[in-house]
Structures are given as C-alpha cells and as structure tokens.
Amino acid sequence: MTVRTFVVTRVAAMIAILIALTGVMFILQHISPLDPVKAQLGAQASADAVAARRDALGLNDPLLSQFWNYLTSAVQGDLGTSYRTRHPVASDLGDFLPATLELALFGMAAALVLAALLAFSTTLKWRGSGVLRAVLFTGASAPMFLLGILGLIVFYQQLGWVPANGRSGVASAPDGPTGLLTVDGLLHGRIDVVLDALHHLLLPALVIAIGPAVAIGRVLRSSLLSDIDSDYARTARAKGLSETRILARHVLRNSVGAALSMTGLQVGLMFAGVLVVEQVFGWPGIGQYIAQSIPVADFPAIAGVTLMLGALYVFINTAVDLLQAAADPRIAVTGG
C-alpha cells in the first residue's frame, strides 16, 4: 500500500464513521417521544400551526429525504435550534466550546508532559521516579470527579493555592477573537488575564491529565524498554552517547507509534472527563451546556454536542494515524 492510498483510506474511513454517527443521531431523533414541532411552538399551539411547521421543517418528506437534509445541514454547520435557549445549537456551541477546548488542550499538554516524565524517569531509573509513579498511578485509580473534589479540598480550602471555580477572575477579560483566554490575553497584551487564566486552569487540567498520562506513559515506557537494547541503541552507546541522548535521539522515534495510538484513544476519554470536571469546577463549557439540556430533553442540543465531540474524536484519531505513518513509513506500506 502506498502512502497516498493509506491517507485516502484513512480519510474515507473518517467520512464513513461521521456519516454513520449522523445516521444514529437522526434515528434517535425520530424514535424520541418528544415532538420537535410542539417543543418549538409550545403545547398550546393550534393544529394548523403545528401542521404548517411540520411542513416547513420537512418532517412530512420521505425518510431518506429527511436524512439527506439532516446530513447536509450538519455538514454546513446547521445543527438545529435548541428547545431550551431558542438559539441555533451551532451558536450555543460557539459560545461554550472555547472554554472546553482550552481546558482539554491544557489537560492533554499536561498529560503528555507527565507521560514523558513517567516513561523516561522509570526507564532511566531517575531518583524520585518511584514517587512520581506511585502518585500518578494512585491518581489514575480514583474517579475523576473524586480527584476534583479532593483537589478543591486540599488546594483551595486548605492551602488556598487555586481558585474554587470559573475560568477567570478578571472582570474586564477580553472576549475575542478566539475565545481562549490564554490566547486572547496574549493578543491583547493582557498578561494579567493570561496569568489568571493559567491559575484557574491549573487544577482542573491536572485532574483530567492524570488518567491519560498514566495510560500513555505506560505504553511509551514499554516501547522504550523494548528498543533500548536494540542494535542501533548499542551502537550509539558504543559511541559514548549518554542514555538520555540515546533515548531522546534514537529510541524515541521508533517507540512513539504505540504511544501515539494510545494518545488518540485517550483524547475521547479526556473529552468525556472534561464534561464531568466542568461540573465539579463550575467551568462554563460544553459540560455545563449539556448538563442543562439533558433534564429538559433538549434533543437538538444533545445531538449537536454528540456530533461535535464525535467529529473531534474521529478527526484526532485520523490525525494520529497519519502522524504514526509519518513517524514510521512502514505503517503506511503495511496498511497499519
């Protein structure tokens, strides 16, 4: 299999999965006992108004035609109108997504740093590596919401090192252009906003990072240990290179493939964890939005969040596959 064929195959698989996910959401909407027309117009709407609205929404069209309209609308960014907010779901997601994305990005960055520390320190037997390993494994064994609560008790209530909730304590924080406070603060030259945002991010990002860090770190450590006694590593060692340089410059590239695969898997779990952590820390992101939508059966909002998170997960895993092929071209040749 050529590299081009590998890329086309992965992209085609991504598109097929997204179409299938959209189909599942479409079927769930149709079997839902909630009438979308009455949810929009209210229970007291007249029969004529309901009939006119059903016709306007295309609900009287053949099922395949309805699915095609649903699919093409989703591709164009039209995810329907929230029953609760009465705003387009895409607009609501645009308001809530930046907070979740910022938390997830910092959480993943922290997870990768901790995973690298765990893998390198235990492989090279650095002093204190046992303590780091014990702390990370203990944290990964606890439910994420419990970690968040314990973190608040210790680092907020007892020590006062971190804020209790929210993503900013600055009243005049900029609200654009990206919606990411750390980035917008830099773009506006507001170092106070950047530092305050990082202060608020510290604890929730660490909470969601511990589980993925252990999973990625264990896989990376296993790969490093497998390759550290390979012929090329022994050759580099014979040239007088230190163990750290051998790992970083020679062994890591050949060992990173499995860790990249695990990273892709952990991204989906991380987004699920972010939704839980947002509730614990009062983080104004997608988790808050979906938590408010579920009790009132706001199906367009629930479906919109599901499609968005599903698309992100599929995109990231496809990117991971392509990165693996770039790191080791043999993957593309053998088809993965």
Side-chain angles (χ1 to χ4, degrees), residues 12-75:
M14 176 186 70
I15 294 173
I17 292 171
L18 291 176
I19 292 175
L21 177 61
T22 306
V24 170
M25 290 297 101
F26 175 78
I27 292 171
L28 290 176
Q29 181 173 354
H30 271 264
I31 65 177
S32 171
L34 185 66
D35 187 341
V37 175
K38 290 186 177 179
Q40 290 183 18
L41 300 180
Q44 305 303 319
S46 67
D48 291 340
V50 169
R53 187 58 179 166
R54 289 187 66 85
D55 188 63
L57 293 175
L59 296 178
N60 296 323
D61 295 342
L63 198 61
L64 285 178
S65 178
Q66 291 185 48
F67 174 65
W68 177 252
N69 291 334
Y70 186 79
L71 178 62
T72 54
S73 296
V75 170

Side-chain angles (χ1 to χ4, degrees), residues 115-126 129 217 219-230 232-238 240-257:
L117 284 174
L118 175 63
F120 273 74
S121 65
T122 54
T123 301
L124 297 173
K125 297 181 173 59
W126 290 347
S129 61
V219 171
L220 180 58
R221 177 179 180 271
S222 177
S223 299
L224 291 175
L225 289 174
S226 298
D227 289 344
I228 199 169
D229 291 324
S230 60
Y232 64 85
R234 284 197 293 268
T235 301
R237 197 173 289 115
L241 296 181
S242 66
E243 292 296 319
T244 302
R245 292 188 68 185
I246 292 172
L247 279 183
R249 296 182 58 181
H250 298 280
V251 177
L252 181 60
R253 178 168 181 173
N254 293 315
S255 305
V256 77

